Amino acid sequence: MLSTVISPMARWTGLAAPSMAAAVLLAGCAGQAPAPTPVGLPTAATTAPTTTTSTAKPYDYRNLLLQPQDMVLPNAGYSVPRPATLNPSGIPGAEVMLTSNDGTNAVGTTIVLLDEASAAPVELPKAIANLKTVSSSVPPVPVPVGDAGVAVSGVTPDGTKSATALVFRQDRAIVRIDFYTTLGAVTPLDTVIDIGQKQTVALRAGLPALD
């Protein structure tokens, strides 16, 4: 079976490379991806007369991702066929593919973290212009998700599934959520917006931990 040799991300997106979602999201962006921002608490000082040091545990960006129970879609439930990826392609952020239990729908989320929030308004249009997960004859439409959110519907690059991409920014995060369904069964826009708004709330709650 194909699913035994192709990752869930590649099988649903129709893209050849299974781990390039973050790189594709940032395609065309200037400069190199920033290093992850370490966060954490310093170790407790000891009473011994030795030099104390502080250590920082890198933040796990996977904590920013929505979970299967957050999916409100036509199917009974969702699961994670493969664990979420931390810093995909070496880019600070996280990505995950959630699939419906009946195998008809999937939702892929990629979050990329920039150095500063001021860079997001510049990088978001580049990410939208270089969108690779959806082939469409219509331009993206504005949606009330995050900052400057847009959505576009069409088909996967291989033409085998319907696909809708939602792209937006929240603070210094750039996010793409891809909705995959059987050919001809496009995910309703209100569903796309609902899940996008949930991801925005998760980012508002989680991003302060990175500072």
Side-chain angles (χ1 to χ4, degrees):
M1 295 177 60
L2 286 179
S3 59
T4 63
V5 295
I6 300 178
S7 76
M9 184 70 76
R11 181 164 65 90
W12 281 97
T13 61
L15 298 173
S19 306
M20 295 297 290
V24 169
L25 181 58
L26 280 186
C29 293
Q32 297 181 345
T37 302
V39 298
L41 297 175
T43 56
T46 64
T47 56
T50 57
T51 302
T52 60
T53 59
S54 297
T55 60
K57 181 180 180 181
Y59 184 83
D60 191 337
Y61 301 122
R62 291 172 295 186
N63 294 332
L64 301 172
L65 294 164
L66 292 182
Q67 301 301 311
Q69 60 268 25
D70 298 315
M71 300 296 105
V72 181
L73 292 166
N75 303 91
Y78 277 71
S79 59
V80 184
R82 176 172 293 187
T85 301
L86 177 64
N87 300 332
S89 304
I91 298 172
E95 70 179 12
V96 69
M97 177 68 78
L98 309 179
T99 60
S100 62
N101 293 340
D102 67 359
T104 61
N105 290 353
V107 180
T109 301
T110 300
I111 299 174
V112 167
L113 277 303
L114 304 175
D115 272 336
E116 299 177 350
S118 60
V122 177
E123 303 302 345
L124 180 64
K126 298 177 184 178
I128 295 171
N130 287 278
L131 190 62
K132 304 297 183 182
T133 53
V134 178
S135 296
S136 179
S137 59
V138 298
V141 297
V143 292
V145 177
D147 292 320
V150 299
V152 59
S153 294
V155 297
T156 53
D158 61 4
T160 62
K161 300 173 184 68
S162 291
T164 296
L166 169 66
V167 188
F168 63 95
R169 58 183 170 85
Q170 177 64 39
D171 194 69
R172 66 186 184 91
I174 294 181
V175 183
R176 190 187 70 238
I177 305 178
D178 295 303
F179 299 80
Y180 302 104
T181 58
T182 54
L183 200 60
V186 180
T187 304
L189 187 58
D190 58 351
T191 298
V192 172
I193 293 172
D194 177 71
I195 292 177
Q197 290 176 341
K198 287 181 179 179
Q199 182 62 77
T200 300
V201 171
L203 288 168
R204 286 174 181 165
L207 285 175
L210 278 64
D211 297 329

